[in-house]
Amino acid sequence: MKLFKLLGLATLLVGYVAVAPRPALAQDSDADSIVVLAKHTEAKPNDPVQVKFEKFKVTKAKFDPKKVEGGKATIEIDATSLKTDSDKRDNHLKTPDFIDVAKFATITVDIDKVKKKADKTYTAEATVKFRDITKKYPVTFEVTDAKADSIRIKGESTFNRLDFKVGKDSKDPKEAPVANDLTIKLALTLKNT
C-alpha cells in the first residue's frame, strides 16, 4: 500500500550505501517509525539498506477518528537523526554530497485533502518541503487503529531521491551508488492537537 510519497524525500538521503547485514524492519513492531529502504545501483546481497529517522514528530493534527476524511496533519522529520547500521555511511549521508544536514536539517510534510478510498484505506495530498524544494504527492495510507483522540496509520511508497536533488544523477554506480527510486515505510500515531 502506498503512503507519504512525500516522506520519500526523506528517504532520498539514502544516496550512499555500504554492504552490511540488515536488521529487522522498524515497522515490525508497534513503535512509530519512518524508514527508507535503498537498493544499490548494482544489487548487493544486503539490499535494501535501511535508513531510519530516529527523531520526528507530528506537530499538528486535526481530524475526527470516526471520520478521517478532511483531516490534516504536519510531520517534521529531523534529518540529522538518520541512522543505518554504519556510522561511516551515516556521516556521509549527512554531508553536502547527499542530505546536507548542516543546511537542511528538517523535512516538513503537510497532509491534507484526505479522502476515503476503501474500508480503512485513504488517499491524501502530501506537500513535502526539503532542501528549499516543495513537492506535492498523492499518497495512500491505511488506518490500522482508531481511538477517541488518535489514529494509527501505516503506509509504504516509492519516490525518487532526485526530486529533492539528493545525490548525483548518474547511471554510473561509482558516482551514484544508490538507485534513484527509494521506498519509504512508516507507521505513525496521530493525535489531535
Side-chain angles (χ1 to χ4, degrees), residues 22-123:
R22 61 181 216 220
L25 288 176
Q27 285 79 5
D28 293 343
S29 73
D30 286 337
D32 284 0
S33 61
I34 298 175
V35 177
V36 173
L37 305 175
K39 294 183 180 179
H40 290 86
T41 304
E42 291 182 347
K44 306 269 182 179
N46 68 322
D47 282 349
V49 170
Q50 297 182 45
V51 179
K52 296 185 241 179
F53 290 95
E54 296 187 329
K55 294 181 184 176
F56 52 87
K57 62 185 171 183
V58 178
T59 59
K60 295 179 195 172
K62 187 71 179 157
F63 58 90
D64 178 349
K66 294 179 185 171
K67 185 177 185 271
V68 178
E69 296 92 338
K72 296 183 178 195
T74 298
I75 302 156
E76 288 185 359
I77 302 167
D78 180 349
T80 68
S81 74
L82 73 89
K83 192 81 175 143
T84 67
D85 56 3
S86 165
D87 290 341
K88 181 179 178 182
R89 179 189 308 125
D90 298 352
N91 291 332
H92 194 200
L93 287 173
K94 293 176 182 180
T95 71
D97 289 347
F98 296 100
I99 298 177
D100 196 0
V101 299
K103 285 177 71 177
F104 307 106
T106 303
I107 301 163
T108 303
V109 179
D110 291 309
I111 306 296
D112 67 359
K113 299 182 182 173
V114 175
K115 296 178 183 172
K116 190 167 192 165
K117 181 176 179 181
D119 182 36
K120 293 182 179 185
T121 305
Y122 296 83
T123 62

